[in-house]
Amino acid sequence: MLTQSNLGKTLLVASALGAGLGSMPALAAQSEPVVVYGQQDENTRTERVSFADLNLAKAKDARKLHFRVASAVKRVCLYDTAQMGLRDAGYGRCSSGAWTMAKPQIAQAIARDQEIALNGSSSIAAVAITIAAR
């Protein structure tokens, strides 16, 4: 749900992106990495899940990553064991949103490690997976 403040930020970012579309060829030719900074909403709980110690080309390590992400989702979405057996709609929405954000990141991490296993290197950047409760 967008608050008045978040709506303004969203519109500002959308406007900036729209204005920048005309300069896309110039950006594509840029050799230096571009870093975008944003301010996190203080009401959003986030957790970074590292997989630096895993070889995601192996199914066993990919399962470990899924377990780590599941644990992080429970923490950021405030899973309450006292509610076990009851349908907690708030947790369900949070968990669903967190997994929706995490799945592409997991797929990218696995693709990176598989590319490294095949070629010895990867064009995909190594980053931690970010889990967020919204």
Side-chain angles (χ1 to χ4, degrees), residues 7-25:
L7 180 58
K9 289 177 189 175
T10 302
L11 292 175
L12 179 65
V13 170
S15 297
L17 287 173
L21 287 178
S23 62
M24 286 299 280

Side-chain angles (χ1 to χ4, degrees), residues 4 12 26 45 57 59 78 85-86 88 99 109 115:
Q4 189 69 17
L12 179 65
R45 292 175 304 283
L78 306 176
L86 303 174
D88 183 352
W99 275 106
E115 191 174 303

Side-chain angles (χ1 to χ4, degrees), residues 43-115:
N43 295 324
T44 301
R45 292 175 304 283
T46 61
E47 186 170 327
R48 294 181 59 84
V49 178
S50 176
F51 54 88
D53 61 319
L54 301 176
N55 176 357
L56 300 176
K58 295 180 179 180
K60 178 181 80 169
D61 283 357
R63 284 190 301 273
K64 285 181 184 179
L65 177 60
H66 277 87
F67 178 77
R68 289 178 187 179
V69 169
S71 297
V73 167
K74 284 183 176 183
R75 286 188 296 273
V76 299
C77 292
L78 306 176
Y79 180 76
D80 183 2
T81 55
Q83 295 289 327
M84 222 156 70
L86 303 174
R87 294 196 57 92
D88 183 352
Y91 175 79
R93 281 190 303 276
C94 177
S95 174
S96 178
W99 275 106
T100 297
M101 287 177 43
K103 285 178 183 178
Q105 295 178 74
I106 293 168
Q108 183 176 23
I110 291 172
R112 179 181 187 280
D113 279 8
Q114 288 174 340
E115 191 174 303

